[in-house]
Amino acid sequence: MNTAGHSPATPRRGLELTPFRGLRYDPDRVGSLAAVTSPPYDVVVRPDGLHHLESADPHNIVRLILPQAGTPSARNEQAADTLRRWLSEGILTTDPEPGLYVYEQSDGGGMLQRGLIGALRVSDPAEGVVLPHEDVMPHVVADRAALMRATCANLEPLLLTYRGNGSTAAATVAIERAAEQPPLLSTTTEDGYHHRLWAITDPAVLAGVQEDLAQHQALIADGHHRWATYRRLRAEHPSPSAWDYGLVLLVDTVRYPLRVRAIHRLLHGLPVADALSALEGSFRVRRLETPLAEALPALADAACAGNAFLLAGDGAFHLVDRPDPELLARTVPAEHPAAWRTLDATVLHATLLDHVWGIPEDSPAHIAYIHDAVATVEKAERDGGTAVLMHPVREEVVRDLARQGVTMPRKSTSFGPKPASGLVLRALGL
């Protein structure tokens, strides 16, 4: 790892994105690059999506990011053994020289996103360099940390955004020039997204990119738990070390705006009828005899006027809105800014989950967080639980709260498109 340029006593400034020797699949040793990729670990819908990915190719990255075994320690051991075997067999190979990677995603319908994958210096929130906007669940951080310790690798990049300085900025110029060259890899995944990757290795270009990025701060768009994991692992290892850095994709949202979507909840063991009866007198509830494609716009309309949710799982959709102001005053913590107190996620967690339904938000046995609305509804109907569909928060609200140092309730937002896992990894020993 290149850590030159700073001593521990040297003041830091802005983002410090460093080159690394990427670990990538040898396309001649796998069925196809598309078949070995996966969505990020927390987007995979288990068990259906997991089984699908495992069967797509025996070397699918999901075998590293979501290993399957009887105990947590056995899972992590299995991932480490798998990674070592793939390295020894040449399934994964290390690029010959360190670089930053330009990563492009497009969907054929006008969506184009480009950003830089590199090893970012890990910093604490107090430094104001990388801004979190959501709380994390300690057990998830512990799980990711154990996996990274076992594999000694960053297996997938998290997604950060920053506000760039325009088309003439060094990072922008480097990205666009790289995209004019033949890519290191090009593949189309089954979701229709096209992925391309290039490496920037020229020392002069890298220096210009790093100088440009050093002027900026970043917002965590996706990967709060992995960033918290990076911070935990950095604290465990004497500095300087490779653990001072973590794998990220950095996107300039002035040039490439992200899409912000909601993350939905699946409440295990709570039938819809019970969920609705507990709301009597405290929320307005309307049954919608419409399909999901029409129910979601109704949720969006209601969310413009105040807090609103869509409950499902019994074959219908139930629009829940207009919470009792007195109930909110009793249940929502008053010490936070108004923008935080009025978030749908705040009301869901503080009022509905905690007060009305009595569901612990950090217990996988009681609640699951799912990015896809259709999958959430289908699982609720199959399992007899309740799907709580959310309306997304605007990016400017997220960024404003983050700059105030205010964290949103966990799993409040889903920024995208997210980087595919499996295109480039970082082994900390290289």
Side-chain angles (χ1 to χ4, degrees):
M1 173 53 57
N2 174 21
T3 58
H6 290 288
S7 67
T10 304
R12 308 282 186 176
R13 61 185 184 92
L15 298 167
E16 186 182 330
L17 192 68
T18 67
F20 71 105
R21 294 175 66 202
L23 195 60
R24 298 189 293 111
Y25 282 99
D26 181 343
D28 295 329
R29 300 298 306 277
V30 297
S32 74
L33 289 175
V36 295
T37 64
S38 164
Y41 80 97
D42 59 338
V43 181
V44 176
V45 178
R46 290 172 270 185
D48 302 354
L50 182 65
H51 294 160
H52 173 71
L53 291 165
E54 285 180 328
S55 62
D57 188 284
H59 302 108
N60 190 284
I61 190 68
V62 79
R63 296 181 185 274
L64 298 182
I65 63 175
L66 288 173
Q68 299 300 294
T71 66
S73 60
R75 288 196 293 271
N76 297 329
E77 252 180 69
Q78 179 177 291
D81 289 344
T82 300
L83 179 56
R84 282 191 291 268
R85 186 174 72 255
W86 290 357
L87 286 168
S88 67
E89 294 174 355
I91 304 300
L92 290 168
T93 60
T94 308
D95 283 336
E97 55 185 324
L100 297 177
Y101 294 84
V102 174
Y103 175 45
E104 176 190 275
Q105 293 165 279
S106 58
D107 66 357
M111 190 289 295
L112 175 69
Q113 177 177 289
R114 291 176 180 152
L116 285 168
I117 295 177
L120 185 70
R121 182 184 70 85
V122 178
S123 58
D124 293 323
E127 295 182 54
V129 176
V130 175
L131 304 176
H133 68 268
E134 288 184 359
D135 290 331
V136 297
M137 292 175 271
H139 75 276
V140 177
V141 176
D143 175 73
R144 291 293 104 184
L147 179 63
M148 286 191 207
R149 282 191 210 99
T151 57
C152 202
N154 299 151
L155 301 172
E156 49 185 346
L158 54 87
L159 176 61
L160 303 181
T161 72
Y162 74 105
R163 309 290 288 174
N165 291 334
S167 60
T168 60
T172 301
V173 171
I175 289 170
E176 302 308 324
R177 285 182 178 169
E180 295 171 355
Q181 306 302 314
L184 292 175
L185 66 82
S186 178
T187 190
T188 301
T189 45
E190 65 178 10
D191 57 6
Y193 278 84
H194 191 58
H195 308 262
R196 297 198 294 171
L197 193 76
W198 299 262
I200 300 175
T201 57
D202 184 291
V205 177
L206 290 172
V209 170
Q210 290 174 306
E211 184 65 26
D212 180 8
L213 295 178
Q215 307 170 45
H216 298 286
Q217 64 179 184
L219 175 73
I220 300 176
D222 184 69
H224 282 81
H225 290 90
R226 281 166 286 167
W227 184 254
T229 300
Y230 291 166
R231 291 179 54 220
R232 174 180 290 194
L233 294 172
R234 179 200 59 176
E236 293 175 1
H237 295 81
S239 186
S241 80
W243 296 97
D244 292 340
Y245 297 80
L247 187 63
V248 307
L249 167 63
L250 193 58
V251 174
D252 174 5
T253 52
V254 172
R255 193 164 185 86
Y256 298 108
L258 267 64
R259 299 170 178 172
V260 187
R261 292 182 173 146
I263 301 177
H264 311 293
R265 276 67 169 162
L266 173 62
L267 309 182
H268 304 298
L270 179 67
V272 175
D274 293 349
L276 293 173
S277 65
L279 297 176
E280 288 183 13
S282 56
F283 284 79
R284 181 175 70 169
V285 179
R286 288 175 287 166
R287 182 184 177 96
L288 305 180
E289 299 292 348
T290 58
L292 180 61
E294 295 177 22
L296 286 174
L299 171 63
D301 290 343
C304 291
N307 301 118
F309 313 91
L310 201 60
L311 271 55
D314 61 351
F317 295 100
H318 308 270
L319 185 60
V320 175
D321 65 354
R322 296 189 184 178
D324 175 15
E326 292 185 4
L327 175 64
L328 297 184
R330 289 197 314 271
T331 57
V332 176
E335 64 271 17
H336 293 285
W340 182 91
R341 297 197 307 271
T342 55
L343 289 170
D344 288 338
T346 296
V347 173
L348 172 63
H349 284 254
T351 304
L352 287 173
L353 292 181
D354 188 35
H355 181 79
V356 176
W357 293 326
I359 294 176
E361 61 181 336
D362 57 356
S363 169
H366 293 87
I367 184 170
Y369 298 85
I370 303 177
H371 292 70
D372 182 75
V374 173
T376 311
V377 173
E378 288 178 349
K379 287 180 72 66
E381 292 179 345
R382 186 167 63 240
D383 302 343
T386 295
V388 182
L389 305 185
M390 311 281 289
H391 184 67
V393 183
R394 299 190 316 278
E395 181 181 0
E396 56 266 31
V397 173
V398 176
R399 193 174 294 275
D400 182 56
L401 285 171
R403 283 178 174 153
Q404 296 178 54
V406 178
T407 54
M408 300 167 65
R410 60 198 60 173
K411 299 292 184 183
S412 293
T413 59
S414 175
F415 284 84
K418 303 177 191 303
S421 299
L423 296 180
V424 60
L425 293 67
R426 174 179 174 251
L428 273 70
L430 301 174

